[in-house]
Amino acid sequence: MGKFKVKETKSKNGYVFNLTANNGEIIGVSEVYTTKAACLKGIESVRNFAPKAKVEDQTAGGSATNPKFEIFLDKAGEFRFRLKASNGEIILASEGYKVKASCKNGIESVVKNSLDSEVVEVE
């Protein structure tokens, strides 16, 4: 299984987490949280919402209600996804993908890895 890797930001003003696959590749990154407790709550939100989130493909005119994964094109023309909680807050965002199929695979990986992945602290 993957891991939720929690670390303090370089500027020491907050905490972030990365969800990694079992091969160590980063699947998604969080926003910056002001406290470690809030960061851990963000991980619980991913675990809670990812398995039941619908997919809204904004590149194809799709629409879905929160919680949802949004697929979109960034300014560089790459596909990305973000996971939004039921309140609309972004709780996880992806890297850029050259093809949409890879972006969709990233979403599947989040769903698969979100439930059983351990939480580890890294420096």
Side-chain angles (χ1 to χ4, degrees), residues 50-97:
K52 59 186 172 189
K54 304 224 183 316
V55 176
E56 176 181 293
D57 186 347
Q58 296 178 345
T59 68
S63 179
T65 57
N66 293 325
K68 65 183 173 184
F69 286 97
E70 293 177 335
I71 296 174
F72 63 98
L73 281 171
D74 66 13
K75 291 179 182 178
E78 293 186 323
F79 293 94
R80 292 182 180 264
F81 68 81
R82 56 189 161 224
L83 173 60
K84 287 189 167 183
S86 58
N87 65 1
E89 291 288 319
I90 297 170
I91 52 176
L92 193 72
S94 76
E95 64 181 2
Y97 297 93

Side-chain angles (χ1 to χ4, degrees), residues 1-3 20-24 111-118:
M1 278 280 116
K3 291 184 172 134
T20 61
N22 57 358
N23 65 2
V111 172
K112 179 178 130 185
N113 286 287
S114 64
L115 292 175
D116 298 326
S117 293
E118 67 177 316

Side-chain angles (χ1 to χ4, degrees), residues 57-60 71 79 97-106:
D57 186 347
Q58 296 178 345
T59 68
I71 296 174
F79 293 94
Y97 297 93
K98 300 238 183 264
V99 293
K100 190 189 296 188
S102 297
C103 186
K104 289 180 177 181
N105 288 341

